[in-house]
Amino acid sequence: MRISIFGLGYVGAVCAGCLSARGHEVIGVDVSTTKIDLINQGKSPIVEPGLEALLQQGIDNGRLRGTTDFAAAIRDSDLSMICVGTPSKKNGDLGLEYIESVCREIGFVLREKSSRHTIVVRSTVLPGTVKNVVIPILEDCSGKKAGVDFGVAVNPEFLRESTAIKDYDQPPMTVIGELDKTSGDLLQSLYEELDAPIIRKDIEVAEMIKYTCNVWHATKVTFANEIGNIAKAVGVDGREVMDVVCQDKALNLSQYYMRPGFAFGGSCLPKDVRALTYRAGSLDVKAPLLNSLMTSNESQVQNAFDIIESHDKRKIALLGLSFKAGTDDLRESPLVELAERLIGKGYDLNIYDSNVEYARVNGANKDYIESKIPHVSSLLNADFDQVIKHADVIVLGNRDEKFRALAQQAPEGKQVIDLVGFMNKPSCPASRTEGICW
């Protein structure tokens, strides 16, 4: 394939070397004559193990060349990758001036180009950037229609400095965000020989995936550092702790807890977060990430309340009261907190939870229910159909399979709010279903 790569910094230079090594005809484009001279001499403009050998190989076999001539590069290629920088502004927002400049250059050339051209954004951009910035500029400058007259896609990179070539050749996944199927198909053909899953999504989803991965990595580093600081203060080697923690791939390193939804609760997590952060404070160890966990968790309860309140209905059915389906444990259940907020604001609340209903009569939690939350437990109703019939808004609070069907089809005239992820589609006013994070 004939590919032009705009921006020969870290991502662009690595992509130029790797793509040319895989037999593609690559044109590297940059405003810096220094970078272009280095590329054309087979030298690397960045320090990256193994890259210079790939660039030299590309120059020697004629598959790679560099140029400052944007227009010629676009005319002589079928696909353009945008790999320019997106630096931070002073206020933290993303600087898009380089993206905008390249898109204008590409757009003006596309105006005169008769063959189909595909533009692929590899630069890291926030969700909505391609839709609200890239495509409008391309369409305005070219006079053509995106997805019809030219292709558009997003292809976020997951390259780490010092291991970039290995990361390119052995990626955990390849993510393609496509405006149209033709663009996705063309981009997929570049990666089919790699031994990794190819994931095709809408453009905005792909944009968000990249940011989510990077912020998650930052969170992991910060988390490990704070655990290490606390461990050291109590005379423990934090590396030894985290080595063992990382061996658990069923829960600690897994997708089990990595699902957007409602707040965490139960007898362990809230208690243990508070205890560890208290101990850190007593040792004068700063742990701002860990200290933020309970505040963030409480805000998710408020998010659920705000969604309920936004529908301006007074009759509410809360399905589930225990923090987790299959248990009667109400200790620190965020659903109890949500119920108390609804009661406090005067909502007409009915609650259904078969496990808690049993515990109220027979279980070990009977004393807790009667002594700690009698004002909540008095609203429990064992008649599921009656609870649904009475409500204007139905809140799915835990993953009891009995509740799943309500997320797929809201009862006539009623609004369903899904806090756990039963919905198989995003929120839709027409279907009267709304998710807390989707």
Side-chain angles (χ1 to χ4, degrees):
M1 191 182 302
R2 301 188 306 165
I3 302 167
S4 52
I5 297 178
F6 289 83
L8 294 175
Y10 188 81
V11 173
V14 171
C15 289
C18 291
L19 285 167
S20 61
R22 292 181 176 276
H24 300 285
E25 182 182 329
V26 178
I27 307 170
V29 190
D30 204 288
V31 295
S32 169
T33 55
T34 300
K35 289 182 180 179
I36 296 303
D37 289 344
L38 287 170
I39 291 290
N40 286 330
Q41 294 170 37
K43 296 179 179 179
S44 177
I46 62 170
V47 176
E48 180 62 36
L51 178 57
E52 191 153 298
L54 292 183
L55 296 175
Q56 185 65 63
Q57 175 185 309
I59 294 296
D60 290 344
N61 61 29
R63 294 197 185 105
L64 173 64
R65 62 185 172 91
T67 182
T68 57
D69 190 338
F70 280 46
I74 296 162
R75 287 193 297 267
D76 293 343
S77 60
D78 305 306
L79 181 148
S80 292
M81 287 186 170
I82 299 177
C83 301
V84 298
T86 50
S88 288
K89 296 181 180 179
K90 288 184 178 180
N91 64 0
D93 194 11
L94 204 62
L96 297 176
E97 57 268 27
Y98 302 131
I99 292 271
E100 293 169 353
S101 177
V102 168
C103 287
R104 282 191 288 270
E105 294 281 355
I106 293 174
F108 285 130
V109 178
L110 291 186
R111 183 180 288 272
E112 307 300 329
K113 188 172 182 178
S114 57
S115 59
R116 181 182 173 90
H117 197 86
T118 300
I119 298 93
V120 178
V121 178
R122 291 218 83 184
S123 301
T124 300
V125 293
L126 288 164
T129 300
V130 170
K131 178 181 178 181
N132 299 320
V133 178
V134 170
I135 290 176
I137 291 175
L138 290 170
E139 290 184 334
D140 182 61
C141 293
S142 68
K144 297 181 178 182
K145 182 68 175 175
V148 178
D149 302 312
F150 61 89
V152 177
V154 169
N155 180 210
E157 49 80 23
F158 301 98
L159 306 176
R160 297 168 296 172
E161 295 186 36
S162 80
T163 61
I165 294 173
K166 178 182 177 182
D167 291 342
Y168 187 98
D169 292 335
Q170 302 172 31
M173 60 184 176
T174 297
V175 176
I176 295 171
E178 58 191 50
L179 178 66
D180 56 285
K181 185 177 183 300
T182 301
S183 297
D185 289 344
L186 182 66
L187 192 51
Q188 179 169 335
S189 69
L190 289 180
Y191 301 113
E192 284 181 329
E193 64 189 67
L194 299 179
D195 184 19
I198 295 177
I199 300 166
R200 294 171 63 166
K201 296 289 184 180
D202 292 338
I203 280 178
E204 291 85 353
V205 176
E207 290 170 319
M208 189 65 191
I209 286 170
K210 171 61 175 177
Y211 268 91
T212 302
C213 289
N214 279 3
V215 174
W216 174 227
H217 299 328
T219 301
K220 289 182 289 187
V221 171
T222 305
F223 175 81
N225 287 342
E226 291 189 4
I227 291 296
N229 292 340
I230 297 170
K232 180 181 179 181
V234 296
V236 172
D237 188 334
R239 297 170 299 177
E240 188 175 353
V241 172
M242 291 306 298
D243 282 346
V244 176
V245 167
C246 291
Q247 290 180 39
D248 177 2
K249 295 180 173 57
L251 295 179
N252 289 344
L253 301 179
S254 74
Q255 61 182 337
Y256 185 82
Y257 291 108
M258 297 290 287
R259 293 191 295 255
F262 198 39
F264 61 76
S267 61
C268 296
L269 300 190
K271 171 180 69 69
D272 293 344
V273 169
R274 279 194 294 265
L276 187 61
T277 53
Y278 176 84
R279 175 56 63 87
S282 69
L283 295 166
D284 292 329
V285 175
K286 294 182 179 178
L289 175 66
L290 300 183
N291 283 331
S292 72
L293 295 181
M294 293 307 298
T295 301
S296 179
N297 201 52
E298 289 159 8
S299 73
Q300 197 68 337
V301 178
Q302 185 63 43
N303 288 345
F305 178 84
D306 291 344
I307 292 172
I308 295 169
E309 190 175 48
S310 71
H311 291 285
D312 200 25
K313 306 288 185 182
R314 304 305 298 175
K315 296 180 179 180
I316 312 296
L318 179 58
L319 305 186
L321 190 60
S322 62
F323 82 100
K324 184 179 181 181
T327 178
D328 63 349
D329 195 346
L330 297 174
R331 289 173 293 176
E332 302 221 37
S333 170
L335 292 169
V336 172
E337 174 63 26
L338 178 59
E340 289 182 327
R341 294 190 190 194
L342 292 168
I343 293 168
K345 289 294 185 178
Y347 282 88
D348 182 357
L349 178 64
N350 271 267
I351 304 171
Y352 176 85
D353 190 313
S354 58
N355 291 312
V356 176
E357 183 65 35
Y358 175 85
R360 185 166 65 162
V361 178
N362 304 296
N365 279 325
K366 182 175 183 291
D367 289 342
Y368 177 86
I369 293 169
E370 292 177 347
S371 63
K372 300 294 186 182
I373 55 167
H375 54 301
V376 175
S377 65
S378 65
L379 301 177
L380 281 163
N381 188 333
D383 190 330
F384 180 77
D385 293 334
Q386 187 181 77
V387 171
I388 299 299
K389 182 178 180 181
H390 179 76
D392 294 319
V393 177
I394 302 167
V395 181
L396 311 184
N398 66 31
R399 299 187 71 84
D400 189 323
E401 283 297 319
K402 188 172 185 177
F403 309 153
R404 182 181 292 275
L406 293 166
Q408 313 311 322
Q409 181 62 57
E412 186 65 33
K414 301 181 187 295
Q415 174 71 36
V416 170
I417 297 172
D418 181 7
L419 304 183
V420 295
F422 282 135
M423 293 166 57
N424 52 25
K425 294 181 180 179
S427 298
C428 176
S431 66
R432 292 172 283 104
T433 56
E434 181 172 359
I436 188 170
C437 293
W438 47 90

